[in-house]
Amino acid sequence: MTNKEIGELRRRMKPDRTNLTAVYGCYVASSGEVLSTFREPFGLMTEEDKEKYLAIFRRALSGTPDKNLLDLSFTTKQVADSDEHRLLMSLRDSELQDLEARQAFYQKAVESLHLEGSYLLLLACDSYDVPHRGKDDSLQADASDEVFTYIVCVVCPIKEGKVELGYFPGDNEFHCAAGQTVAPPELGFLFPAFDDRAANIYNALFYSRKANEIHQEFIDAIFH
C-alpha cells in the first residue's frame, strides 16, 4: 500500500465518514486469561467515545512504510486453502458478526502475544464506497468504483493509574482503586490491503509501534 492509499483510509476514521456499526473487544489479563469479550454498538456511543475509538484505529494506519508499516503477503496456496486466510476472510465477509470466527481469532491472538501487563484487543469492520479519482486527482464522491470492506485490529496495553479514592455507584460508597487507561496500540493490522484503491486479499498491512519490535510471534500465528 502506498502512503496515499493509507492516508485515504485513515481519513475515513472520523465519526461522520466511517461506516463502522460496532467495535468488538477482548480484554486480556497479564496472565493471558481472557477477562471479558464485548460488542459496543457504534451508533449508541457518545461522540467522545467514537472519537477515542477511531483515534486508536487510526494509529494502526500511521507510520512509515517498510519500517513500522509492513506489507504482509499470502502465498497463492494460502489464499486457495488455508486455515489462517479462511479465518480472516470469515471475519471480513461476516463483518465480524461470526461469533465462532471471532472466538477462534481471539484464541490465536492471545496464545501468541507475550506482552507485559494486561491489554485490550479491538476489532472493527468498515465498508468504504470508494469514490472515483479524476484525472486531476480529485475524489468524485458521486462516482464510486467499488465497495471496499475491510477489518482493522489493534492491540493496546492497559496502563494502571495511581491508587485514588473514587466513587462506586453500584456500592454507593467511596473506595480506593487504581484507574485504568487504554494506551496507544502496540501492534495491529488491516485486512485485506487497499492496493490500487481496491481489495487485495493476497495482502495485509501490519502495524508495529516500534520498528525494531514487530511481534513476529503474532505474525506467525495469524498470518503464518
Side-chain angles (χ1 to χ4, degrees), residues 113-141:
L113 284 169
H114 304 290
L115 302 178
E116 290 186 12
S118 56
Y119 61 88
L120 183 65
L121 187 155
L122 297 173
L123 284 169
C125 180
D126 182 33
S127 291
Y128 178 28
D129 200 6
V130 183
H132 177 72
R133 189 180 291 278
K135 292 182 179 180
D136 60 354
D137 211 33
S138 64
L139 296 180
Q140 302 170 9

Side-chain angles (χ1 to χ4, degrees), residues 91-176:
L91 292 170
R92 180 247 197 173
D93 292 345
S94 71
E95 298 183 351
L96 297 175
Q97 296 184 51
D98 186 330
L99 175 60
E100 186 176 339
R102 288 202 315 274
Q103 291 177 332
F105 177 79
Y106 290 153
Q107 182 177 354
K108 274 192 171 188
V110 170
E111 289 177 351
S112 71
L113 284 169
H114 304 290
L115 302 178
E116 290 186 12
S118 56
Y119 61 88
L120 183 65
L121 187 155
L122 297 173
L123 284 169
C125 180
D126 182 33
S127 291
Y128 178 28
D129 200 6
V130 183
H132 177 72
R133 189 180 291 278
K135 292 182 179 180
D136 60 354
D137 211 33
S138 64
L139 296 180
Q140 302 170 9
D142 58 343
S144 176
D145 289 333
E146 69 167 73
V147 175
F148 173 60
T149 301
Y150 62 97
I151 59 172
V152 60
C153 169
V154 293
V155 176
C156 302
I158 300 296
K159 300 297 184 182
E160 297 286 346
K162 295 181 179 179
V163 176
E164 296 179 327
L165 194 64
Y167 180 63
F168 289 74
D171 299 333
N172 196 27
E173 295 175 351
F174 283 84
H175 302 290
C176 281

Side-chain angles (χ1 to χ4, degrees), residues 181-202:
T181 57
V182 179
E186 188 69 23
L187 67 149
F189 70 87
L190 175 141
F191 175 83
F194 188 53
D195 291 332
D196 296 324
R197 303 185 68 239
N200 177 6
I201 63 172
Y202 285 80

Side-chain angles (χ1 to χ4, degrees), residues 178-222:
Q180 294 182 320
T181 57
V182 179
E186 188 69 23
L187 67 149
F189 70 87
L190 175 141
F191 175 83
F194 188 53
D195 291 332
D196 296 324
R197 303 185 68 239
N200 177 6
I201 63 172
Y202 285 80
N203 279 59
L205 182 70
F206 184 80
Y207 165 82
S208 179
R209 186 174 65 86
K210 298 179 181 178
N212 61 342
E213 295 180 16
I214 64 169
H215 302 278
Q216 188 65 48
E217 70 284 355
F218 181 87
I219 294 175
D220 291 342
I222 302 301

